[in-house]
């Protein structure tokens, strides 16, 4: 009977399962597996949480950039109206006429407090400061200052950026004061953008605004002003706010900085400001991301430590009761692992669906852009089609009269128009794939000449006097040549349509350059009745069937893409004036400025 009892105990499955637990090698293997699993889970959690929190931080940084951009544009737009109002003020006009400026500075100081401008200065026709909110400026001569020269040249509100002695930049809107056709002086209003710098410094780690040439003109880091962004990052010694982002943490849970921030110690976000080609660059640190990730990692480490403690406790039991309890706990762990596996699989499925949805939204946006471009190209194709019709009619008459050589010339022009139509339609492909515009240096004078050649059939059909003023030196801008010619053709066509009912139709085209490249198209028609709606899509004053109302809207969008602006106003002596301003190409800007000190004299 004793032998039977021993045999029953050896056959007991619980006893057989408890025996391996007593083996040291099994114990070491179990602990090793738990450690490997813990390290794997911690590594995966660290990577996933870092990506997730980094994306959240990036979204918040982009939202802040949008807010900063809106504040900047609001301040510029608010200040841009002030010179126009002050230029029409009777008190300033009378002071300039009578050369009596005893109360002018006090009046300007009162106006400065009401409009919250940085400064207000009044210059007479010789450039002398006769009134200023800063009394130390009274009597100084500013005849060579850009805001004075550009205001006299433009006769419109102009915007200039100039570096002051302190290293900061002065942002000024200026306008000539004209009365009875005579220029009495210039009023200059400074935009207070340093206030925005101070507000940015209290919220963001580092913010910089660069102009169209890449030079930093606004920054929460004073040493960055006047430099390009690569130069600013090279000379910066990383003090204060973002210093921690350039260091590698000593905590073993962290990875090298270039591993979890993709090679950067700070997050860099760039956004385009729809004003003169400006750009805003935001820098955001990863310190908060690292702290949040480490908090989750600490909880996981604590959980695995507790798991190891429980494992040691279970493995220390050698009796069948403890072995059975361990088996039940193992079953619970397997069930928990299964649930976690299902949750992870569900999360991965949701993430895949989210990526598919994002791709769908992007494709929808591309299709919407293609639809808008299709409408624009359809509008643009009407011009070469009309020109081809005219050339075909002329060729038919030439062939009937036996003048075949002249007819061949018309056919060559038709072939050129067909090539141009093909170039226009090829632009649709650019909107169907990811990528930017094919910009290249373009001489604005050649673009105008090509547009005039394009409009030659319409000009021959009617007796219209065309006057153009071109400088001798090239006026080079960075743009898409085809799209730039589209803008010029639209402006010429609108001018030609505007002078239909004029007795002596006249269209003037002027090209000049200073700090910017300027193109002016002026007609002697009846002018524009509603300037506010002029650049809205599908708004037109033409009869049904004569226009779609897309030309000026498309032209304004193209000029904005080039970093410039397209404006219109009615001339004092009648007619409409369209002005296009574009940033000069950096390689040719110096020569252009030297050659266009007096652009009309160069003609």
């Amino acid at each position: 009977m004793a032998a039977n009892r021993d045999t029953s105990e050896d056959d007991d499955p619980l006893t057989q399962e408890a025996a391996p637990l007593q083996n040291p090698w099994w114990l070491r293997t179990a602990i090793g597996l738990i450690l490997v699993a813990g390290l794997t889970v911690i590594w995966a959690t660290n990577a996933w949480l870092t990506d997730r929190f980094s994306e959240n931080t990036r979204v918040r940084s982009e939202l802040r950039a949008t807010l900063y951009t809106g504040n900047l544009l609001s301040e510029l737009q608010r200040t841009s109206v002030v010179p126009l109002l002050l230029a029409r003020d009777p008190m300033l006009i009378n002071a300039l006429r009578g050369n009596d400026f005893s109360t002018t500075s006090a009046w300007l100081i009162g106006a400065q407090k009401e409009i919250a401008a940085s400064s207000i200065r009044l210059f007479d026709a010789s450039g002398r400061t006769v009134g200023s909110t800063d009394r130390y400026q009274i009597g100084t001569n500013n005849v060579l200052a850009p805001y004075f020269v550009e205001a006299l040249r433009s006769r419109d509100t102009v915007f200039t950026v100039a570096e002051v002695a302190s290293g900061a930049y002065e942002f000024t809107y200026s306008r000539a004061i004209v009365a009875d056709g005579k220029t009495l002086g210039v009023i200059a209003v400074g935009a207070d953008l340093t206030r925005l710098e101070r507000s940015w410094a209290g919220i963001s780690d580092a913010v910089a605004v660069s102009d169209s040439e890449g030079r930093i003109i606004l920054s929460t880091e004073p040493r960055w002003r006047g430099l390009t962004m690569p130069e600013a990052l090279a000379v910066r010694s990383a003090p204060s706010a973002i210093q921690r982002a350039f260091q590698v943490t000593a905590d073993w849970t962290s990875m090298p900085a270039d591993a979890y921030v993709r090679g950067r110690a700070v997050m860099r976000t760039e956004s385009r400001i729809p004003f003169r080609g400006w750009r805003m660059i935001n820098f955001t640190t990863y310190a908060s991301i690292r702290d949040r990730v480490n908090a989750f990692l600490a909880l996981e480490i604590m959980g695995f430590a507790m798991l190891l403690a429980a494992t040691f406790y279970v493995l220390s039991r050698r009796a069948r009761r403890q072995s059975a309890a361990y088996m039940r706990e193992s079953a619970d762990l397997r069930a928990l692992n299964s649930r976690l596996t299902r949750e992870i699989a569900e999360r991965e499925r949701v993430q895949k669906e989210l990526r598919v949805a994002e791709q769908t939204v992007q494709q929808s946006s591309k299709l919407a852009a293609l639809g808008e471009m299709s409408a624009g190209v359809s509008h643009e194709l009407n011009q070469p089609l009309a020109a081809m019709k005219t050339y075909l009619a002329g060729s038919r008459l030439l062939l009937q009269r036996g003048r075949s050589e002249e007819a061949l010339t018309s056919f060559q022009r038709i072939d050129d128009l067909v090539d141009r139509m093909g170039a226009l339609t090829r632009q649709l492909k650019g909107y169907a794939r990811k990528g930017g515009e094919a910009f290249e240096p373009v001489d604005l004078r050649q673009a105008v000449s090509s547009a005039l050649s394009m409009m030659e059939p319409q000009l021959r059909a009617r007796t219209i006097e065309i006057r153009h003023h071109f400088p001798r030196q090239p006026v080079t801008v960075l743009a898409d040549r085809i799209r730039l010619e589209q803008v010029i053709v639209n402006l010429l066509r609108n001018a030609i349509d505007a002078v239909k009912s004029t007795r002596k139709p006249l269209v003037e085209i002027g090209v000049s350059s200073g700090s910017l490249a300027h193109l002016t198209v002026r007609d002697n028609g009846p002018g524009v009745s509603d300037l506010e709606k002029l650049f809205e899509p599908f708004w037109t004053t033409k009869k049904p069937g004569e226009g779609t109302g897309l030309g000026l809207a498309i032209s304004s969008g193209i000029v904005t893409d080039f970093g410039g602006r397209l404006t219109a106003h009615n001339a004092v002596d009648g007619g409409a004036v369209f002005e296009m301003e574009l940033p000069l190409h950096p390689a040719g800007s110096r020569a252009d400025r030297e050659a266009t000190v007096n652009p009309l004299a160069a003609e």
Side-chain angles (χ1 to χ4, degrees):
M1 295 179 62
N4 292 336
R5 285 195 299 269
D6 294 338
T7 302
S8 63
E9 290 176 359
D10 293 338
D11 296 336
D12 190 355
L14 295 178
T15 304
Q16 295 176 357
E17 293 180 0
L21 297 176
Q22 300 174 4
N23 296 332
W25 68 268
W26 199 97
L27 177 62
R28 289 193 297 269
T29 302
I31 295 175
L33 290 175
I34 293 175
L35 290 176
V36 171
L39 292 176
T40 303
V41 172
I42 289 173
W43 178 84
T45 303
N46 176 68
W48 180 71
L49 290 178
T50 299
D51 290 341
R52 181 179 179 184
F53 292 152
S54 298
E55 184 63 25
N56 293 339
T57 302
R58 185 179 300 277
V59 171
R60 289 196 297 269
S61 178
E62 292 175 353
L63 291 176
R64 283 199 301 269
T66 302
L67 177 61
Y68 294 164
T69 300
N71 293 339
L72 180 61
L73 291 176
S74 177
E75 181 68 22
L76 291 172
Q77 292 172 357
R78 184 178 64 83
T79 309
S80 65
V81 183
V82 178
L84 176 61
L85 300 177
L86 295 180
R88 300 176 179 178
D89 189 88
M91 196 279 288
L92 297 181
I93 295 175
N94 293 333
L96 290 172
R97 282 177 172 172
N99 201 22
D100 181 12
F101 309 104
S102 58
T103 61
T104 303
S105 296
W107 188 89
L108 292 178
I109 292 174
Q112 179 192 19
K113 294 180 180 179
E114 294 181 1
I115 65 178
S118 174
S119 63
I120 304 178
R121 286 169 289 177
L122 178 65
F123 311 104
D124 60 11
S126 65
R128 185 172 60 91
T129 304
V130 296
S132 174
T133 55
D134 184 3
R135 298 185 183 273
Y136 293 101
Q137 297 289 332
I138 296 177
T140 59
N141 195 301
N142 297 268
V143 69
L144 298 179
Y147 44 79
F148 183 82
V149 176
E150 294 295 332
L152 292 180
R153 181 181 299 175
S154 177
R155 295 298 179 91
D156 196 1
T157 301
V158 297
F159 178 79
T160 56
V161 180
E163 186 175 3
V164 297
S166 63
Y169 283 85
E170 182 182 35
F171 306 90
T172 307
Y173 280 98
S174 58
R175 187 182 181 93
I177 300 178
V178 181
D180 298 331
K182 180 181 179 182
T183 302
L184 302 179
V186 173
I187 186 74
V189 180
D192 188 9
L193 301 185
T194 56
R195 175 173 53 84
L196 298 178
E197 280 185 327
R198 293 191 294 270
S199 64
W200 297 342
I203 299 176
S204 299
D205 297 317
V207 180
V209 176
S210 62
D211 58 12
S212 60
E213 298 180 355
R215 184 184 63 221
I216 298 176
I217 55 178
L218 284 174
S219 176
T220 56
E221 299 290 338
R223 290 182 294 177
W224 288 6
R225 299 190 187 104
L227 303 176
T228 62
M229 185 53 63
E231 294 173 345
L233 294 178
V235 301
R236 194 177 189 284
S237 59
S240 67
I242 64 174
Q243 184 177 11
R244 295 189 306 273
F246 288 93
Q247 300 174 348
V248 178
T249 178
D251 189 357
W252 70 271
T253 58
S254 298
M255 301 185 335
D258 58 351
Y260 65 85
V261 297
R262 300 176 182 176
R264 285 189 178 273
V266 292
M267 180 182 296
R268 176 172 175 171
T269 304
E270 293 192 21
S271 58
R272 186 176 65 86
I273 302 176
F275 180 78
R276 302 172 68 89
W278 288 10
R279 299 189 69 85
M280 177 174 288
I281 305 99
N282 289 358
F283 292 94
T284 306
T285 64
Y286 282 88
S288 60
I289 298 175
R290 190 69 262 163
D291 293 340
R292 294 167 65 185
V293 173
N294 287 342
F296 280 95
L297 294 181
L299 291 177
E300 285 190 352
I301 293 172
M302 185 181 298
F304 278 105
M306 295 176 63
L307 180 59
L308 281 174
T311 303
F312 279 115
Y313 176 79
V314 171
L315 294 178
S316 65
R317 300 297 182 177
R318 300 177 181 178
R320 289 180 295 180
R321 183 179 300 175
Q322 287 78 10
S323 177
Y326 174 75
M327 293 174 62
R328 290 192 297 270
E329 185 177 356
S330 299
D332 293 339
L333 289 175
R334 286 192 295 271
L336 177 60
N337 185 45
S338 178
R339 289 196 298 271
L340 290 176
T341 302
R342 290 194 296 270
E343 291 179 0
I344 292 174
E346 180 66 20
R347 187 180 297 274
E348 291 178 350
R349 184 185 63 81
V350 172
Q351 289 179 347
K352 290 181 181 178
E353 293 179 355
L354 180 59
R355 286 195 293 270
V356 172
E358 290 176 351
Q359 294 174 359
T360 303
V361 171
Q362 293 175 0
Q363 186 63 23
S364 299
S365 178
K366 290 182 180 179
L367 292 177
L370 282 173
E372 294 179 1
M373 187 60 189
S374 298
V377 171
S378 298
H379 170 75
E380 297 299 335
L381 290 179
N382 288 334
Q383 299 171 1
L385 286 174
M388 290 171 62
K389 185 176 180 181
T390 303
Y391 281 130
L392 285 173
S395 301
R396 186 182 296 110
L397 292 176
L398 291 173
L399 290 175
Q400 290 176 356
R401 296 175 181 178
R403 298 161 64 181
S404 58
E405 293 183 358
E406 297 181 12
L408 289 176
T409 302
S410 299
F411 289 143
Q412 180 60 42
R413 293 183 177 179
I414 293 173
D415 184 66
D416 294 339
L417 290 175
V418 171
D419 292 339
R420 182 176 184 83
M421 293 170 64
L424 290 174
T425 55
R426 282 195 298 271
Q427 292 182 359
L428 290 175
K429 298 179 181 179
Y431 289 88
R433 62 177 183 269
K434 184 177 181 181
E437 299 293 342
F439 287 178
E440 61 181 355
V442 179
D443 188 353
L444 193 56
R445 303 176 308 166
Q446 295 180 358
V448 174
S449 299
S450 299
L452 287 172
S453 177
M454 178 72 182
M455 298 298 296
E456 184 178 353
Q458 287 84 347
L459 296 175
R460 285 185 175 181
R462 301 180 54 200
T463 303
I464 300 177
E465 182 181 358
I466 302 295
R467 298 178 184 174
H468 56 82
H469 307 278
F470 293 168
R472 292 191 178 93
Q473 299 296 329
V475 181
T476 307
V477 298
L478 191 63
D480 185 339
R481 182 179 59 83
I482 296 289
R483 301 178 71 197
L484 180 60
E485 291 179 5
Q486 291 176 11
V487 174
I488 300 173
V489 167
N490 282 335
L491 297 180
L492 290 175
R493 186 176 183 184
N494 284 336
I496 293 172
D497 293 340
V499 298
K500 283 184 177 179
S501 57
T502 305
R503 183 177 180 182
K504 294 182 179 180
L506 171 64
V507 176
E508 293 183 89
I509 307 170
V511 176
S512 62
S513 66
S515 59
L516 297 171
H518 299 271
L519 171 66
T520 304
V521 178
R522 177 175 179 177
D523 60 71
N524 61 346
V528 181
S529 60
D530 195 343
L531 292 172
E532 295 182 357
K533 297 182 179 180
L534 185 61
F535 296 104
E536 294 183 2
F538 302 107
W539 185 86
T540 179
T541 58
K542 300 178 182 178
K543 298 179 181 180
E546 294 183 358
T548 61
L550 286 171
L552 290 178
I554 294 173
S555 299
S556 178
I558 292 175
V559 174
T560 301
D561 291 341
F562 294 162
R565 66 172 182 172
L566 180 63
T567 59
H569 64 274
N570 290 324
V572 178
D573 54 350
V577 180
F578 288 85
E579 295 182 354
M580 179 176 66
E581 295 180 353
L582 291 174
L584 288 170
H585 185 249
S589 59
R590 179 179 300 176
D592 294 344
R593 286 195 296 268
E594 293 176 355
T596 55
V597 174
N598 189 354
L600 295 180
E603 174 61 24

